[in-house]
Amino acid sequence: MSHLDTSTSPYLQLHKDNPVDWYGWGPEAFAAAEASNKPIFLSIGYTACHWCHLMNAESFGNGDIAAQMNDSFINVLVDREERPDVDLLYQAASNAMGHMGGWPLNIFLTPKGEPYFVTGYLPPEERNGIPAIQTVLRDMVRSYQEQREQIQATGDRVTGSLRDTWNRDMRGNIDTGFLNVGAIRTAQRHDIFYGGIQGNVRFPNAPSIEVMWRGFLRNGTPQFSQLTATTLDHICFGALRDHIGGGFFRYCVDERWLMPHFEKMLTDNALLIDVLTLVWQYNRNALCQGAVDDAIGWLLREMKVGDAFASNIDADSEGEEGKYYLWSEAEVDAALMGTFVQRFKAAYNIRREGNLQGANPQNSNIQAGRNIPHRLNTQNLGQFTDADEAMLAKQRELLLAARQSRVRPMRDDKVLADRNGYAIAALAHAGTAFQRSDWLTAAIRAFDFVVKVLGDGGRLYHSWFDGKRTDRSFADDYASMARAALALWESTNEKRFLEHAKRWTRTLNEEFWDAKGGYCVNAQHAEPLIVSIRTIFDQPSPPANSVMLGVLARLHMATADQSYYDRAQEIALAFAGEAPRAWQSMATYLNELEFLGVAANIVIIGPNDHVRTHELTQAVFGRSFPNRLVTVVSPDEMLPEGHPAYGKTMQNGQPTAYLCQRNTCSPPITNPVQLSQILQLPQQKPQQQGAAPQQMARA
């Protein structure tokens, strides 16, 4: 019987029949290492990882390699999505040891969990300068047996570096200049021609895009708007977007956004939906709207597990990266026979020789003649009429139908609380902004499903798969789901969502709070790692400490309970000393810090079913106004004492809005048009308003 037979991770289940004697992460593995005096070979990966699958097939499925591993090591396999704490710990350890990290991450540990050597993908034979796995295994055994003092010194050095990373004193004063300086520096790192953060690969870093967009809304600086638009143009016109099936791939391997890495992640798509919605609320741009519509369509069509959402979709199918998404010209011709196929091929850059050659010269896995549909190099884009776009939409549907007959990439059906929280909030935000009740309904159903399978009173568990849930939870689960609950409370005015947010915040405060300020990733009662993790840095997902700045601020505004605001201030101050140094890794912190400092509480008093109440709320949801909380109060309901709108009433029997900020409320507003105009940002001269980059303006 494999140690992985009872695993709740699809990634671990893929390895349960390996000849390698795998353990899952836990006391059993460390006890076995101590008892046998063997080092630990730790491999961290996840289901959507191309190189993880390749290493599994080439190395972990090889009997000779497995025998060497079993003889010399205690072998531990970790799904980085199921154990984000272990992944975060050892990714940071790999960085401290001079390795860039990534997946698969293969790291050699002492029986106490201290790292002494790190590497990535290892082939069965030396390849492109990468040593064979058997050579590395042999060298690591010899090092462990013959160089214990050196290994212990390495472990002590790396462990000390980890403690300094997460547990040093990061306190500071909150400088009002943080936000503008952060926006300027973020913009300076973005490519003015192609968008995205400069580098050989391009990730859709949604929190950083939001930093620039908020900078534009604060002061109207056109460069922020231009860089935001350039980035979103390339994301939405380029190959990062799945133009046939909707949604976004994880990243592009080239600076021009022409060659994607084909895995799809739930969190990436949720965060992009949020920032695209925020920009659309300002300029009503058809490109943003179409991308949001397609991405949510993909979520609801291909990612549902029960009423919640799966965590990711693999990059590979039939052993080939991207095969499911690529087209030859002949395949496009066959699928679109009888339609204006030449127009489609011109719009989406479909070529007989393929459109991927040269996008990434180092990638030899893509066959010649293959195409990924995109519109970045389309000539005379503005000449495509509304009739053309309608035809192209129908052609995309034909291609989607043809694609669905192919062998699909593997989907990881874990339901993760933190990732579903981001998806639920994105659906709620988009549902109210675009007035799509079906999206809001999907968000509510997903929320209820997560609570059903992962909730237990005030407690949340991290992962559910095939009827089984893990027995662990992380601070990110509580923060993300509390954020989702508040988004649904704003959207529906159902008090049960507010109660969930309060309950989960209470658990965070009781079980995850650290004396230095901020929440630890693991609860106090959880089995400890070699270093306790207390982080403010954005990873693939925003960290709980940043997210909770916004959650606590919203709870304070909703309840007038000062303790929520005080706790938010503690978090803000606990990490403020880090912002001048590590602003590029703290985008979510900067965004939520702005909310904490200047957010407006827009109180609307009126019956829920009154048409004017709906018009007033929609006037707010229709604006790109990220620093706001909408509170709808029925006429017979009393706000808590201490609330700035306490005692406010409807005017002349009509639903009435009050814009409250810093304990002061505006005069009553009963006209939705007037309310919308008040919320229009940025406050610019008329000729400057709506100045959007050329391509985005005409899309």
Side-chain angles (χ1 to χ4, degrees), residues 39-44 55 73 86-110 113-122 129-133 135-137 139-141 143 150-151 154-155 157-158 162:
I40 291 170
F41 175 80
L42 171 65
S43 184
I44 303 175
M55 194 165 177
F73 298 92
V86 175
D87 181 55
L88 188 61
L89 176 70
Y90 289 106
Q91 292 290 341
S94 75
N95 295 156
M97 298 168 77
H99 188 272
M100 66 183 297
W103 302 278
L105 184 73
N106 296 302
I107 191 161
F108 294 85
L109 313 176
T110 71
E114 300 160 328
Y116 68 91
F117 186 78
V118 62
T119 184
Y121 163 76
L122 293 171
I130 304 174
I133 184 173
T135 301
V136 174
L137 294 171
D139 290 347
M140 289 305 100
V141 170
S143 295
Q150 182 177 338
I151 283 174
T154 298
R157 175 180 61 81
V158 174
L162 296 175

Side-chain angles (χ1 to χ4, degrees), residues 97 111 136 138 208 256 330 340 380 408 470 569 580 619 666 677:
M97 298 168 77
V136 174
R138 184 173 59 250
S208 289
R256 294 180 296 160
F340 196 175
N380 300 317
R408 297 187 180 213
T470 58
Q569 281 285 335
S666 70
Q677 291 173 341

Side-chain angles (χ1 to χ4, degrees), residues 7 17 46 58 62 108 124 141 150 179 192 268 307-308 372 445 545 552 596 680 684 686:
S7 168
D17 295 324
Y46 62 107
E58 292 180 336
N62 182 301
F108 294 85
V141 170
Q150 182 177 338
L179 301 178
I192 63 173
D268 292 341
D307 282 325
I372 182 71
R445 288 176 176 170
N545 282 305
L552 289 161
L596 176 65
Q680 184 173 357
Q684 303 179 88

Side-chain angles (χ1 to χ4, degrees), residues 404-521:
Q404 288 176 329
S405 66
R406 299 176 176 179
V407 176
R408 297 187 180 213
M410 181 185 303
R411 188 180 77 172
D412 190 318
D413 283 353
K414 292 192 308 292
V415 172
L416 302 175
D418 56 345
R419 298 192 176 194
N420 270 271
Y422 294 119
I424 292 163
L427 283 168
H429 294 152
T432 54
F434 292 98
Q435 300 190 58
R436 290 288 300 267
S437 60
D438 55 330
W439 295 352
L440 186 55
T441 297
I444 294 169
R445 288 176 176 170
F447 182 92
D448 290 340
F449 187 90
V450 171
V451 170
K452 177 182 177 182
V453 302
L454 290 171
D456 183 9
R459 192 171 301 280
L460 272 172
Y461 296 91
H462 177 61
S463 176
W464 180 90
F465 171 68
D466 195 24
K468 296 180 289 186
R469 70 185 182 193
T470 58
D471 59 356
R472 298 187 68 88
S473 60
F474 304 101
D476 287 0
D477 299 318
Y478 291 94
S480 176
M481 283 299 293
R483 176 177 177 267
L486 289 170
L488 288 174
W489 174 67
E490 275 194 275
S491 301
T492 67
N493 197 32
E494 290 187 31
K495 298 299 186 289
R496 66 187 181 99
F497 297 119
L498 179 61
E499 292 305 313
H500 275 297
K502 291 160 65 175
R503 191 177 301 126
W504 291 328
T505 298
R506 187 180 310 116
T507 301
L508 267 177
N509 289 336
E510 292 173 352
E511 300 187 12
F512 291 82
W513 186 253
D514 186 89
K516 300 182 187 69
Y519 301 104
C520 292
V521 169

Side-chain angles (χ1 to χ4, degrees), residues 189-203:
R189 293 186 68 211
H190 275 67
D191 188 326
I192 63 173
F193 300 106
Y194 302 121
I197 295 175
Q198 298 170 18
N200 294 328
V201 298
R202 294 293 156 102
F203 285 87

